[in-house]
């Protein structure tokens, strides 16, 4: 039987932090683009991550674990990089799109690592698999946006 260990709680909290970071990053990207389809994509990804965060928080709490608050240092650095990049590139939408793709690919890897944790309860594995699938689907859709450029 799978158990919810402290280590699983830590990994989920790390994932939750990165989910917060992604939400903030997508909101920031949506504010810095004019391309209608791209703005819509970034807004929908921010909303998606907001929902992911609530699912993760509920799952963490359901196993009696503490939920960490705030974003990661890496995420803050990533958003700062996007701010600088948009400042010097005149809000270069292509650069922001590339950065979003890089972040999404990293998220898929992150989810894969946590899902492969042997002690995950089935409810946690189901939530994470669903979220990972949505990220992968979004990566497929982003290719369409690249073609619009």
């Amino acid at each position: 039987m799978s158990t919810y260990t402290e280590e699983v709680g830590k990994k989920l909290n790390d994932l939750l932090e990165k989910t917060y970071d992604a939400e903030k990053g997508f909101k920031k990207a949506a504010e810095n683009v004019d391309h209608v389809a791209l703005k819509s994509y970034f807004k929908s990804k921010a909303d998606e991550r907001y929902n992911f965060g609530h699912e993760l928080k509920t799952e963490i709490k359901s196993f009696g674990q503490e939920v960490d608050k705030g974003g990661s240092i890496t995420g803050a650095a990533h958003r700062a990089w996007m701010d600088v990049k948009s400042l010097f590139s005149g809000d270069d939408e292509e650069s922001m799109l590339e950065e979003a793709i890089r972040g999404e690919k990293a998220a898929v890897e992150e989810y894969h690592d946590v899902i492969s944790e042997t002690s995950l309860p089935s409810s946690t594995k189901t939530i994470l698999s669903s979220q990972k699938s949505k990220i992968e689907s979004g990566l497929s859709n982003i290719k369409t946006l690249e073609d619009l450029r």
Side-chain angles (χ1 to χ4, degrees), residues 108-148:
V108 167
E109 285 302 312
E110 198 71 46
Y111 272 84
H112 175 75
D113 290 347
V114 177
I115 290 169
S116 65
E117 169 71 42
T118 56
S119 63
L120 280 183
S122 61
S123 61
T124 305
K125 193 171 243 176
T126 298
I127 289 168
L128 296 182
S129 295
S130 171
Q131 290 182 357
K132 178 179 174 245
S133 177
K134 288 176 185 172
I135 295 169
E136 289 170 331
S137 175
L139 269 169
S140 297
N141 294 339
I142 212 168
K143 298 294 180 202
T144 308
L145 290 172
E146 280 186 309
D147 295 341
L148 294 175

Side-chain angles (χ1 to χ4, degrees), residues 28 42 57 86 101 105-106 117 128:
K28 176 66 80 179
F42 286 143
K57 281 195 285 192
S86 68
I101 291 169
K105 287 179 178 176
E117 169 71 42
L128 296 182

